[in-house]
Amino acid sequence: MTYFEQESGWGVFGRIEIGRITRHPIADSIWISQAQMLTGAGHQMIQARPGFSLKDGTTSKDLFETVARKNGPVPHYHPQMLLQCLLWEKVNLVKQIIGRLARDLKYLTPEERAVYEMDPFPVYSFLGSDTQEESKPSVPNELSLFDNDSQPVVEDGIDGFSPAVVSKLVADLEDTPLHDLGANENEQLLVLLQATLAIDEHRRALDADGLRYLISIRLFYLINERVQIPRSNVSDRQRGFRERIRYRDMVWAFHSSSQEILLDASTAACGGKMTWNDARALGIFLWLNSIETVKTQFEVIARNQYMSGEDRDPSACCLFYFALGKVRLVLGLWRQAAWHPEQSVMLKFLANDFDVPRWRTAALKNAFALLGKRRFDMAAAFFILGGSLKDAVN
């Protein structure tokens, strides 16, 4: 499992069946030269060489080559490499890698592109954060022992990184994907190029934990947006679709001291109107530390839930306003819902005083009745109205 994929990192590449050769159980096995397996069963020795086929359509000569491809070093522009650099505050390094990739591909012929390999960056580039890189002097000459590359020519921004360069690179990779990346990996690379451009504008105002959370939500929305474009023989889950960001990513926001900026960024990512589905997907109420901010944002979501439908249905926001203790406000919304078949019943019921035990009991009875009708949101709202938070949660 990686940050993009939800499948297990383990997989079956090949299978050797010896049941048709011998009835003896396998006693021992060992790998010998040329990726052949020698198996001992009873008094017999069976030598076999399995063949393998990878999911992305590429074939491999033997197991060793397969393992080297799947587990060996990845190029600097590989999406997993770029993502790890972003998570560990190496945004400038990612911008340099993207700039070099854009510059290299710009002058390659189709034949040269098929065998393209990026010249590696020096080891020390991966060891420090952006803050250290910006404050330290130029690299000493003795470090050139580990790097034979000449310094790239700087174009726009950091090594040619700019919105125009990224847009052109994305369009180029859409037309002609990189040969050494699978279809999913090429798609993930495009997402990371766009995400890097988006977070570069906000990173100066965020701490490290806040930046990591921002990266997570940008990737979440960009991947889900790309998944809307269908691709044959590949499920949405295999392409990285998720209904919410991972809890491990929500934790970054919990520890951040820039929560107000993160909340603004989350709202912007939702199109400016955060609904309950958006808040749940981003874990908003799991990481907000300020009770006042929680109440304010909860009321914003209640208002957006009410405004989201064309008919302005009060039942869409009852749960949220009841949780805030604003029963009278809900009563006012029901007065405006003349089209709703339940208006008269709700107006009559909500006009009662729910501090009185009798009406709390009535609210609980209605909640259980709504459960029987499988109207779970309204049932939870009436449980809260009746003062039974435990039942509302369950």
Side-chain angles (χ1 to χ4, degrees):
M1 179 182 290
T2 67
Y3 273 85
F4 289 108
E5 301 164 352
Q6 303 177 55
E7 299 178 347
S8 171
W10 296 95
V12 178
F13 289 105
R15 191 181 299 273
I16 302 173
E17 298 286 352
I18 66 169
R20 291 175 293 182
I21 301 175
T22 179
R23 295 181 179 180
H24 295 289
I26 296 175
D28 199 0
S29 61
I30 187 173
W31 289 103
I32 58 177
S33 62
Q34 298 181 350
Q36 298 181 87
M37 175 171 276
L38 186 62
T39 303
H43 60 280
Q44 296 174 306
M45 301 287 286
I46 302 168
Q47 182 176 333
R49 180 178 181 178
F52 302 96
S53 177
L54 303 184
K55 289 182 179 179
D56 58 5
T58 59
T59 57
S60 182
K61 296 180 180 178
D62 55 46
L63 177 70
F64 298 155
E65 184 177 330
T66 299
V67 171
R69 173 179 171 78
K70 299 295 286 186
N71 294 335
V74 296
H76 291 343
Y77 53 80
H78 191 280
Q80 282 298 326
M81 173 71 80
L82 295 180
L83 179 56
Q84 291 301 320
C85 288
L86 289 175
L87 291 174
W88 292 107
E89 304 177 73
K90 305 182 191 305
V91 181
N92 284 342
L93 176 60
V94 173
K95 291 165 66 176
Q96 292 173 11
I97 293 172
I98 293 173
R100 181 180 291 187
L101 179 64
R103 189 184 68 250
D104 290 352
L105 296 182
K106 183 178 180 181
Y107 302 106
L108 293 181
T109 64
E111 294 76 16
E112 294 172 332
R113 187 170 179 145
V115 294
Y116 168 71
E117 292 184 5
M118 178 183 286
D119 294 332
F121 278 69
V123 175
Y124 58 79
S125 300
F126 296 87
L127 301 181
S129 65
D130 283 354
T131 306
Q132 293 171 329
E133 290 175 4
E134 290 169 0
S135 60
K136 72 181 181 180
S138 59
V139 180
N141 292 333
E142 55 267 23
L143 289 179
S144 62
L145 293 172
F146 304 100
D147 178 32
N148 294 325
D149 298 332
S150 58
Q151 292 296 322
V153 178
V154 176
E155 299 174 12
D156 300 327
I158 295 182
D159 278 337
F161 184 89
S162 68
V165 170
V166 172
S167 298
K168 188 175 184 305
L169 180 58
V170 168
D172 184 22
L173 293 175
E174 289 269 19
D175 294 336
T176 312
L178 294 169
H179 77 287
D180 55 344
L181 299 182
N184 285 350
E185 291 171 338
N186 270 292
E187 199 167 53
Q188 293 158 10
L189 176 59
L190 296 176
V191 167
L192 270 167
L193 295 178
Q194 295 170 300
T196 304
L197 191 60
I199 66 173
D200 188 48
E201 301 173 1
H202 299 88
R203 66 189 184 101
R204 301 296 181 189
L206 292 170
D207 58 6
D209 291 331
L211 181 63
R212 290 171 184 138
Y213 177 77
L214 183 61
I215 292 168
S216 301
I217 64 174
R218 291 295 183 186
L219 291 177
F220 171 73
Y221 280 108
L222 286 169
I223 289 175
N224 285 359
E225 183 180 337
R226 289 194 65 85
V227 168
Q228 301 305 316
I229 304 173
R231 220 175 75 200
S232 59
N233 302 324
V234 183
S235 67
D236 291 348
R237 184 179 177 85
Q238 289 174 322
R239 295 174 67 186
F241 174 81
R242 297 185 65 84
E243 295 182 355
R244 60 167 177 81
I245 65 174
R246 295 179 172 90
Y247 288 118
R248 66 185 179 193
D249 296 323
M250 299 175 191
V251 172
W252 294 125
F254 178 80
H255 291 290
S256 174
S257 59
S258 312
Q259 292 195 348
E260 292 184 5
I261 300 175
L262 292 181
L263 185 58
D264 291 340
S266 300
T267 302
C270 303
K273 292 185 178 180
M274 183 182 293
T275 63
W276 173 244
N277 287 336
D278 297 320
R280 182 172 55 184
L282 301 179
I284 298 297
F285 297 105
L286 292 178
W287 55 260
L288 280 175
N289 291 325
S290 169
I291 297 298
E292 291 304 317
T293 305
V294 168
K295 291 180 180 179
T296 302
Q297 188 62 25
F298 209 63
E299 188 165 1
V300 169
I301 288 174
R303 183 169 61 252
N304 290 339
Q305 287 289 126
Y306 175 69
M307 301 289 287
S308 60
E310 295 181 0
D311 297 329
R312 306 288 172 83
D313 187 355
S315 62
C317 62
C318 283
L319 174 60
F320 306 98
Y321 281 125
F322 286 169
L324 292 167
K326 298 192 175 185
V327 181
R328 294 299 170 188
L329 192 153
V330 176
L331 181 61
L333 295 179
W334 276 106
R335 289 196 180 102
Q336 301 174 35
W339 58 270
H340 203 290
E342 297 177 346
Q343 185 198 31
S344 59
V345 177
M346 292 298 294
L347 286 176
K348 183 178 179 180
F349 186 73
L350 292 178
N352 298 304
D353 183 3
F354 291 96
D355 290 330
V356 178
R358 172 192 172 187
W359 295 114
R360 286 196 173 194
T361 303
L364 294 178
K365 289 181 179 179
N366 283 319
F368 284 112
L370 288 164
L371 276 180
K373 297 179 181 179
R374 303 187 66 82
R375 295 178 62 183
F376 300 116
D377 289 349
M378 284 298 289
F382 273 82
F383 275 127
I384 291 176
L385 195 60
S388 181
L389 180 59
K390 182 178 179 180
D391 289 323
V393 171
N394 293 332

